[in-house]
Amino acid sequence: MNLRFLASEVAQGVRRNTSMIASVVLVSMVSMIFVGAGLLAQRQVDAAKGDWYDKVHAFVFLCTDSDTGVASCAGGKASAAQTETVRSNLTNLAPLVTKVDYRTSEQAVAMFREQYHDSPYVSSVDASSMPAFFEVRLDDPRRFDEIASGFTGMPGVAHVSNLHEVLAPFFSFLTMLGVGSAIIATLMVVCCVLLMVTTIRQVAFTRRRQVGIMRLVGASSATIYLPFVAEVLLASLVGATLASAMLWAMVHFGVSSLAGSGGGFVNLVGDDDVLAVVPWLYLGALLLAIVTSWLTLRRYLKV
């Protein structure tokens, strides 16, 4: 097909059906925004799990001088003998316990300051306020209760924490966000398909005389179909471009600001994640436009 002819037909079609093309652009944009939001939510879950969820399954915090309200800390700060007893008991739980790392109060402060250097609370944290602790990795995280029951109340142990339980509400929220975005995205894609079908039928009807002439002169099916497909494809790609720009703006000016004010306790999605999602938005818009328009033309435009 002559590309100049195709470009001319597309330009004329856009001018004749501006309102319908604009509708396809808008519904494609909204659909791709929700698709992108779902993908970003999934990347957030994966990123957060990579940072926290799979690293340490349990913490065994030792007593400090300030833990006067804990019965097992009646003697004050955990002694060297108590610390060694806890370490030995943890090690003896192999193969359930696959790794045990001990962190002193000074190391805990250094880790906190390194990881949360943007937090406004860094300057107020010192060794006296950070307990020494054991990082415990379990072969089966679901058996955390065995650690909790065995070490809670042990002399020198202030408390035992399960990181999975602490972060569970956060991951549940992100999962619900992803599922909700996926459901809305699916509904919007259905609306987008219906609008594309309606648009193509309307455009084909307005050009029925031109299509009839092209049939009489022996034009191929591809020559007749391509201008229609190109118009819908162009509108869908413009919608994907607008959706990408809006997602970037929301993440760059919204999520990044939230991350800065939150002190860096959770690594949120950023510009790089948006750039990773954008190609999928274009691919989705491309496939949606081509498949929908081609099938619609075969159904309603007999050549």
Side-chain angles (χ1 to χ4, degrees):
M1 170 182 285
N2 190 303
L3 293 179
R4 182 177 298 179
F5 170 77
L6 177 60
S8 174
E9 287 295 305
V10 172
Q12 291 182 25
V14 171
R15 286 196 300 269
R16 292 171 185 169
N17 305 280
T18 303
S19 60
M20 299 296 290
I21 296 299
S23 299
V24 175
V25 169
L26 292 176
V27 75
S28 299
M29 179 189 70
V30 175
S31 300
M32 292 302 108
I33 285 177
F34 281 107
V35 170
L39 293 175
L40 287 175
Q42 185 58 50
R43 289 182 69 89
Q44 178 64 80
V45 172
D46 294 340
K49 284 185 177 181
D51 287 341
W52 290 101
Y53 204 62
D54 295 326
K55 287 185 177 180
V56 179
H57 295 137
F59 289 113
V60 178
F61 291 97
L62 302 180
C63 298
T64 64
D65 291 330
S66 60
D67 292 323
T68 55
V70 181
S72 56
C73 299
K77 183 178 180 179
S79 64
Q82 290 173 333
T83 301
E84 190 57 35
T85 299
V86 174
R87 184 200 301 273
S88 177
N89 289 351
L90 286 171
T91 305
N92 290 337
L93 289 177
L96 172 60
V97 174
T98 59
K99 186 178 181 181
V100 178
D101 290 318
Y102 174 69
R103 308 295 183 188
T104 65
S105 298
E106 291 75 15
Q107 289 174 322
V109 171
M111 292 171 59
F112 180 87
R113 289 176 177 174
E114 178 181 359
Q115 188 158 10
Y116 306 121
H117 55 87
D118 293 329
S119 174
Y121 308 108
V122 167
S123 59
S124 62
V125 175
D126 55 28
S128 63
S129 59
M130 293 288 287
F133 61 90
F134 287 97
E135 295 180 1
V136 183
R137 186 171 183 86
L138 305 179
D139 179 63
D140 184 359
R142 292 171 297 183
R143 297 175 62 185
F144 165 78
D145 290 342
E146 297 180 30
I147 301 295
S149 61
F151 290 86
T152 300
M154 177 180 290
V157 175
H159 64 279
V160 182
S161 174
N162 182 1
L163 193 62
H164 284 219
E165 294 179 352
V166 173
L167 296 178
F170 174 66
F171 290 120
S172 297
F173 168 76
L174 290 178
T175 301
M176 291 177 59
L177 178 63
V179 172
S181 298
I183 293 174
I184 297 176
T186 302
L187 295 176
M188 292 306 303
V189 167
V190 172
C191 293
C192 186
V193 170
L194 294 177
L195 183 58
M196 285 182 180
V197 171
T198 302
T199 300
I200 294 170
R201 292 181 63 184
Q202 291 292 332
V203 172
F205 179 79
T206 59
R207 296 189 198 173
R208 62 190 183 280
R209 182 177 178 182
Q210 179 183 353
V211 171
I213 295 174
M214 295 178 69
R215 288 174 180 168
L216 292 176
V217 299
S220 65
S221 299
T223 302
I224 298 175
Y225 286 172
L226 279 180
F228 296 95
V229 175
E231 290 174 26
V232 176
L233 178 60
L234 178 63
S236 299
L237 293 179
V238 171
T241 301
L242 295 176
S244 301
M246 293 190 67
L247 284 173
W248 177 85
M250 288 188 290
V251 170
H252 185 76
F253 297 107
V255 177
S256 297
S257 300
L258 179 63
S261 62
F265 282 94
V266 177
N267 291 321
L268 301 178
V269 292
D271 296 348
D272 291 340
D273 295 287
V274 177
L275 294 177
V277 165
V278 165
W280 294 104
L281 300 185
Y282 278 102
L283 179 61
L286 180 70
L287 293 176
L288 184 66
I290 292 177
V291 173
T292 302
S293 58
W294 195 268
L295 292 178
T296 304
L297 289 170
R298 288 179 62 85
R299 171 68 175 81
Y300 294 104
L301 189 63
K302 303 298 184 180
V303 178

